[in-house]
Amino acid sequence: MFKRKDETFLLKRESVQMIDIGCEITSDVIDWYGDVMNRNEAKKGKFKRWFFGTSLAGDCQLDIDSGNPVLTPDDYYDKVDLDITNKEWAKHLSFTECNLWFFPYCDNKHYIMICVNIKAERFEVLDSLRHKDFEKTYKPMAVRVVQYAINYMKTQFADKTVRWERFTWFNLEKVTQPDQISCGMYIIRWMRHWEGKYNSALTKDWKRIDLINEERECLMLDIILDEENLERERIMKEATKYCNMKNKKKDLKERR
């Protein structure tokens, strides 16, 4: 359904179908959207926000499960550098002005976003279920993600004063999903709109299932019509052919 020229990103039909109503979207869809957001930032000429893939935090999860460090700092740096340098449009851009770093991850089938907000000096937890037991369930993982991120950012911001010891934890409180399957859609909406503060796009009517379902449909179209999608023309031709065939059947039925 989605393939780029350099084949650095592929989306299979099964993943796109999981965006449908009543389904839980997959990590590769979230990763694709993060790639889109990064491309949009690149078009502005400099990064204010950067979106990492879900696998980065997923590797940090291994440390939590085993109780021992699994991902070495060097391994982490290599993964981050690869995520950045394998994109031609990102190689010439500086990250010293980047204020918001997004780390989505899935734990026990629930997606949470950790955002490192350099400007506000906060570690922001964007959790659409607002778990009361966050301190016991997700906090260890969030702390691990942040620890790795800080170590990496120290190499990026060597000439910039970042007072990590002053950072506080911030939990989002005003947004709660109305079901048990839409957390991935909330992750995508935060990627689109979160800039370190609440706004109407994040809070207004976002508890309504019908609006979430509309967002799902728009997301499917975004994937298919993405300018980077090599499969775009083929899919559009197939869709046109299908619609024409359907119209012909309808005309024949009406004539009878």
Side-chain angles (χ1 to χ4, degrees), residues 129-184:
L129 285 181
R130 294 187 344 197
H131 284 83
K132 294 180 180 179
D133 57 348
F134 172 77
E135 291 289 330
K136 293 181 180 179
T137 54
Y138 297 109
K139 184 71 175 285
M141 173 61 178
V143 169
R144 195 66 182 161
V145 171
V146 164
Q147 286 174 341
Y148 275 113
I150 289 175
N151 289 336
Y152 178 78
M153 289 178 191
K154 284 180 179 178
T155 68
Q156 290 290 315
F157 301 125
D159 299 326
K160 185 176 181 179
T161 302
V162 180
R163 296 167 296 188
W164 298 107
E165 70 282 357
R166 294 184 53 170
F167 277 53
T168 58
W169 285 89
F170 167 80
N171 292 329
L172 191 72
E173 297 178 351
K174 296 183 179 180
V175 181
T176 308
Q177 68 188 70
D179 56 22
Q180 296 297 312
I181 61 172
S182 295
C183 54

Side-chain angles (χ1 to χ4, degrees), residues 8-24:
T8 56
F9 207 100
L10 301 173
L11 271 179
K12 295 183 178 180
R13 187 177 298 271
E14 293 80 4
S15 296
V16 179
Q17 288 175 333
M18 292 302 290
I19 302 173
D20 199 7
I21 296 171
C23 300
E24 298 180 41

